[in-house]
């Protein structure tokens, strides 16, 4: 009831505007999800009935299942590595004077504003020069570089709010430096660390450009989808797309919940 | 950690401590000995170096020169986590992600005290400070006063050789602060722990302490009991900082065979150190001055400019030949209206010596 009353106070043009945005944003997604359950290979209305045939198809398709495995490995590795690196970097940066800190953060944020296409091509050329073959590992390394700034941003914002005098209180009670970190700092920043890890996983799961240039034979899920769109509009990509959508939005959702709970 | 309690040594000794931050000195040549079981307060204005001194005792700052001994053992270089003292922080610094019980047990757990003993000691300490009912609440769900008590319990449960407190009551409202002052004092007496208490509230220091050290500008100016500090301040700063003061200059002369200060033609008592022919600065506390009808011999004469009723006292402002004086009288006394002429006098032992006047 309360909530309804609050909605009534919103002027109707705003509601219309937000509605239109949501429609344009989510209509394509809705269509993908809808046709992933279509019983006919035709991707057009009228809708002829529900079936799980496309899901059956992708989960029995070795190529797709392998790609899912690779994408999962990439997401988990990227998440873990960026969370650890981001935490260490954040702890290193937080004690710096604000000028040095600004400079360090500026350089650390460069990958975020760098065009992904240039970065991916550069990375591919670089790998070739080094004689490193294109592989899943090569892609993961690139994805780590790409998502690290996001993780660092979340973690350093959290550390900025962390009261380091709590560490003094722990030291005063007899805790060594590492013990104080493990029992005080870590538990307090953990929601942000986990949240940013999930964010990095979501970024990795549907990452396309770096994978396209560096994965070689180790095709991840987005690459498989791209391949199938290219050849013919295969209805199974709707099912793959829906799986990807569910996984990434679940990760993003949990991530947002974790980081906002922490900032309470 | 290996230091065995040695009750024949002073609890804390600071010898020749110097500490500067960069170029700015924060503590200058400080010598201080605090006895076992004493309630000692460091009192001084903001920025005088109280916190710095306390943090050096705790092991968070290290002196540039001098040495620190706890129970007779030199701990000058020993870091905080290996000193047997605990600090109660001004902002409490409770661990927000832990319950009250885990906060209080933290120090014991770090020191690997057996689980069962931790539980017993924590429960007992929570009762002592009066927050037993909140043991399983999260520390960030407590009121300021409750947090204050938990912070105290968290430090005391470790049975520190000395407890260091940095303005622990300054975040509380006046009423709660007054109650906590009495409670802190009674807890200290019950446990017999040495307390080093930093405050800039002189009333608080006078009320609670066995002895007080007055600091200004990084220096320790005087150490003494509240009575000594208030009654015989060693120095004009101390006199002015602790309690209110009417300070003025008198002409020192021999009047009828006695060395007296002459003000406005009337002789008043001066300290025995005063020498004839000089101008001397003396001071008298407002409550040691008496106010009465005009015309009294050997008294100052003036006119009431203001009368304030403070509940338990009457406060007069009186215009005299030595300037405006503040005088306090019991609320039951005869009230003298603004404009009326009055005499002001005081007992010989009420005079505080501020030394020869500098021209
Ligand atoms: N970490 C620091 N770096 C530089 N200067 C400091 C530092 N800590 C304190 N100071 C300076 O040292 C002097 C003494 O500070 P301190 O904190 O000991 O004062 P205090 O008596 O506790 O004052 P307050 O009543 O305001 O808490 C001050 O001039 C202060 O500016
Ligand atoms: Mg201070």
């Amino acid at each position: 009831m309360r909530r309804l009353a609050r909605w009534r106070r919103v002027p109707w043009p705003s509601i219309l505007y937000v509605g239109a945005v949501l429609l344009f944003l989510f209509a394509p997604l809705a269509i993908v999800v809808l046709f992933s359950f279509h019983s006919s290979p035709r991707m057009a209305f009228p809708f002829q009935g529900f079936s799980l045939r496309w899901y059956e198809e992708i989960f029995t398709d070795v190529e797709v299942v392998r790609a899912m495995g690779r994408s999962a490995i990439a997401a988990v590795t990227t998440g873990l590595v960026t969370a650890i690196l981001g935490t260490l970097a954040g702890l290193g940066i937080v004690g710096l004077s604000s000028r040095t800190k600004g400079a360090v953060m500026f350089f650390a944020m460069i990958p975020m504003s760098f065009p992904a296409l240039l970065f991916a091509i550069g990375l591919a050329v670089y790998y070739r020069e080094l004689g490193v073959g294109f592989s899943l590992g090569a892609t993961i390394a690139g994805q780590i570089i790409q998502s690290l700034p996001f993780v660092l941003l979340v973690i350093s914002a959290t550390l900025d709010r962390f009261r380091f005098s709590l560490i003094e209180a722990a030291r005063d009670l007899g805790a060594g430096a590492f013990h104080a970190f493990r029992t005080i700092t870590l538990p307090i920043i953990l929601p942000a660390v986990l949240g940013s890890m999930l964010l990095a996983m979501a970024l990795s799961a549907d990452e396309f450009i770096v994978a396209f240039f560096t994965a070689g034979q180790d095709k991840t899920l987005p690459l498989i989808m791209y391949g199938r769109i290219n050849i013919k509009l295969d209805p199974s990509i709707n099912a793959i797309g829906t799986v990807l959508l569910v996984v990434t939005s679940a990760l993003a959702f949990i991530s947002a919940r974790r980081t906002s709970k922490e900032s309470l | 950690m290996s230091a065995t309690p040695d009750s024949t040594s002073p609890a804390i000794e600071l010898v020749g401590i110097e500490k500067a931050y960069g170029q700015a000195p924060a503590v200058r040549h400080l010598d201080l000995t605090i006895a076992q079981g004493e309630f000692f307060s460091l009192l001084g204005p903001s920025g005088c170096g109280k916190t710095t001194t306390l943090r050096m005792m705790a092991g968070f700052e290290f002196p540039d020169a001098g040495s620190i001994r706890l129970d007779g053992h030199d701990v000058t270089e020993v870091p905080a986590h290996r000193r047997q003292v605990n600090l109660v922080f001004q902002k409490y610094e409770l661990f927000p992600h832990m319950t009250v019980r885990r906060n209080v047990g933290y120090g014991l757990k770090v020191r690997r005290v057996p689980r069962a003993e931790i539980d017993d000691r924590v429960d007992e300490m929570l009762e002592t400070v009066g927050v037993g009912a909140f043991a399983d609440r999260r520390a960030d769900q407590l009121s300021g006063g409750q947090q204050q008590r938990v912070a105290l319990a968290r430090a005391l449960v470790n049975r520190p050789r000395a407890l260091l407190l940095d303005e622990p009551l300054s975040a509380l409202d006046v009423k709660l602060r007054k109650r906590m002052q009495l409670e802190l004092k009674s807890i200290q007496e019950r446990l017999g722990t040495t307390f080093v208490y930093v405050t800039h509230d002189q009333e608080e220091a006078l009320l609670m302490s066995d002895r007080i050290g007055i600091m200004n500008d990084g220096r320790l100016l005087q150490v003494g009991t509240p009575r000594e500090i208030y009654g015989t301040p060693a120095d004009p700063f101390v006199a002015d900082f602790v309690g209110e003061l009417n300070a003025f200059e008198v002409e020192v002369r021999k009047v009828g065979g006695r060395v007296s200060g002459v003000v406005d033609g009337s002789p008043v008592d001066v300290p025995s150190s005063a020498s004839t022919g000089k101008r001397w600065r003396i001071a008298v506390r407002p409550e040691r001055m008496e106010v009465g009808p005009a015309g009294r011999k050997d008294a100052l004469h003036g006119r009431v400019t203001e009368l304030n009723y403070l509940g338990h006292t009457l406060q007069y402002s009186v215009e005299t030949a030595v300037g405006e004086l503040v005088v306090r009288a019991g609320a039951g006394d005869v009230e003298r209206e603004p404009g009326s002429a009055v005499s002001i006098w005081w007992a010989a032992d009420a005079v505080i010596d501020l030394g020869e006047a500098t021209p």
Side-chain angles (χ1 to χ4, degrees), chain A residues 122-137:
Chain A
L123 200 61
V125 172
Y126 183 61
Y127 282 145
R128 181 153 294 163
E129 288 296 313
L130 285 179
V132 178
F134 293 161
S135 65
L136 187 63

Side-chain angles (χ1 to χ4, degrees), chain A residues 56-67:
Chain A
E56 210 180 297
E57 199 162 286
I58 61 165
F59 282 108
T60 51
D61 183 334
V62 181
E63 196 189 24
V64 174
V65 172
R66 284 220 180 112

